[in-house]
Amino acid sequence: MDTPGHGRLLVVDFDFFFHNPLEGAEAAHRGDPLLYDWGHAETPFLQEDVWTFRAEDFIRAGTSLPRCEGLDGFWDRFTFTHPRPPLLYADSNAHAGALTPVHYALPGEAATPWQEVHLFDAHHDSGYPHRNGPATFEEWAQEGEYSCEDWMLVHHARGTRLTLTYPTWRPQGDSHPPMAPLTVNVDDHTAIPGAFDAVFLCRSGAWVPSWCDDQLTELLQAFPGRARPFPGARWSHPRPDPLPLARRPALFAELTAGLHTATQPAVPPPGPARESTHEEPRTARQDSGTLQTALEKIAEIQAASLQRQEQTDAVLATPEPAPLTNPATPRTNDASPHPQPPAGEHRPRL
């Protein structure tokens, strides 16, 4: 615990930029906070497929899809020790628990800790109490495992100084106090003192919608150094666009309404009856073509919706993974390989 460590690691969780009014301050432009009443777990379904259903909710409510905010000029607020600093990225912040200066080719041995880890995040990732789970750092340390919820404790166990900056939209902080001492502040959009040696960026795909993936791409492109994916981590970017499927229910309703209108008998205009003309058969043929197109489109939407429902049912019917030693403790469900920590160190909870 007395090891001074080497270097400063900057960790940025992309959900720092995604204003969730259910977790922080309400804002009219973000819509009803209940639209953000989401379950979170690091599984492929909740990282990718579920965003179609959540996009439908916003469309149905007449609310613009919420986007990330505050990305412009973000990297300009930091000073780095190298002209082209190294950055690793992945979907889960759990990977940050394994990182040491050696992963960035910085001086030190495999077990050399960081002098400081500074996290920009909407959550402290420093342990949350669960029923039958650890309630203190000491209890957590006895388990010897970590996940996206408590990876900061790995660095605390190594003697690293921990700093946390909450986004402006969450000034009250997280829902539970951390299990380790943190220097906590709320972002004021000013320059961050000191220089950083390396960066880790996580997408948090179970917390940030896939319709914001283009903004993550822009953030990576704006980084002044060398960005590369975390070795061995599962990474698919951008994720499938949820909007084509999400917009189909609204299109279905529009086509159905149009079909209903088109099949209603025409109401003759007021005034004296007029004789039939050669234009009426042409109009009937045009209406017939319109009806056929609408029917085909409706059938296509219904088939796609049925297929998606079958896929969802299959996902929900998948057996739960085998329980951990402590079944109440969350897991990452990430099957990708993780860098192995030194012998005797904490290991990722998979």
Side-chain angles (χ1 to χ4, degrees), residues 162-175:
L162 304 179
T163 303
L164 168 66
T165 296
Y166 282 118
T168 306
W169 58 265
R170 203 175 195 195
Q172 302 303 319
D174 216 334
S175 55

Side-chain angles (χ1 to χ4, degrees), residues 8-17 74-75 78 80 86-88 90 92-99 104 114 116-125 148 151-152 155 162-165 196-204:
R8 299 176 73 206
L9 174 66
L10 171 64
V11 180
V12 180
D13 192 318
F14 199 46
D15 73 5
F16 179 88
F17 305 100
F74 178 74
W75 300 120
F78 300 92
F80 299 101
L87 179 150
L88 295 174
S92 174
N93 238 356
H95 296 293
L99 292 175
Y104 293 92
W114 296 97
E116 179 187 8
V117 172
H118 191 149
L119 172 63
F120 279 70
D121 199 332
H123 311 90
H124 59 60
D125 293 1
C148 63
W151 64 269
M152 283 273 275
H155 295 286
L162 304 179
T163 303
L164 168 66
T165 296
F196 291 91
D197 298 274
V199 183
F200 180 78
L201 172 66
C202 90
R203 181 174 62 186
S204 279

Side-chain angles (χ1 to χ4, degrees), residues 3 5 11 17 21 38 40 54 84 100 102 107 124 230 233 239 253 262 265 268 301 306 313 335 340:
T3 305
V11 180
F17 305 100
W38 301 331
H40 301 293
R54 292 170 178 172
R84 288 183 54 77
T100 67
V102 171
H124 59 60
F230 186 89
R239 291 168 286 174
I301 293 174
L306 178 61
D313 292 342
Q340 293 302 310

Side-chain angles (χ1 to χ4, degrees), residues 143-231:
E143 293 194 347
E145 295 180 336
Y146 65 91
S147 71
C148 63
E149 287 196 346
D150 49 25
W151 64 269
M152 283 273 275
L153 299 182
V154 178
H155 295 286
H156 172 63
R158 295 172 180 166
T160 299
R161 183 173 69 253
L162 304 179
T163 303
L164 168 66
T165 296
Y166 282 118
T168 306
W169 58 265
R170 203 175 195 195
Q172 302 303 319
D174 216 334
S175 55
H176 294 86
M179 295 182 187
L182 309 176
T183 299
V184 180
N185 54 73
V186 178
D187 192 28
D188 60 3
H189 305 285
T190 61
I192 307 303
F196 291 91
D197 298 274
V199 183
F200 180 78
L201 172 66
C202 90
R203 181 174 62 186
S204 279
W207 284 262
V208 181
S210 54
W211 60 79
C212 296
D213 277 3
D214 62 309
Q215 293 180 292
L216 180 69
T217 299
E218 293 173 0
L219 186 65
L220 282 169
Q221 291 174 342
F223 183 68
R226 300 157 290 160
R228 59 189 178 91
F230 186 89

Side-chain angles (χ1 to χ4, degrees), residues 94 97 125 127 134 136-154 157 179 322-332 341 344-350:
D125 293 1
T136 65
F137 170 75
E138 290 71 23
E139 292 179 3
W140 171 87
Q142 291 179 358
E143 293 194 347
E145 295 180 336
Y146 65 91
S147 71
C148 63
E149 287 196 346
D150 49 25
W151 64 269
M152 283 273 275
L153 299 182
V154 178
M179 295 182 187
L324 301 171
T325 304
N326 178 359
T329 307
R331 60 194 295 160
T332 65
E345 293 272 335
H346 298 281
R347 60 187 182 278
R349 184 186 302 120
L350 302 177

Side-chain angles (χ1 to χ4, degrees), residues 257-328:
L259 179 61
H260 175 75
T261 301
T263 55
Q264 296 303 302
V267 178
R274 62 184 180 85
E275 295 183 0
S276 299
T277 68
H278 64 281
E279 292 294 335
E280 291 181 353
R282 180 186 305 173
T283 301
R285 288 194 297 272
Q286 290 174 344
D287 289 344
S288 176
T290 301
L291 293 178
Q292 183 61 33
T293 300
L295 289 171
E296 291 174 354
K297 191 64 177 178
I298 289 173
E300 177 187 342
I301 293 174
Q302 288 176 324
S305 298
L306 178 61
Q307 181 182 19
R308 186 181 59 179
Q309 185 61 51
E310 291 174 347
Q311 293 172 344
T312 302
D313 292 342
V315 169
L316 296 178
T318 302
E320 290 294 326
L324 301 171
T325 304
N326 178 359

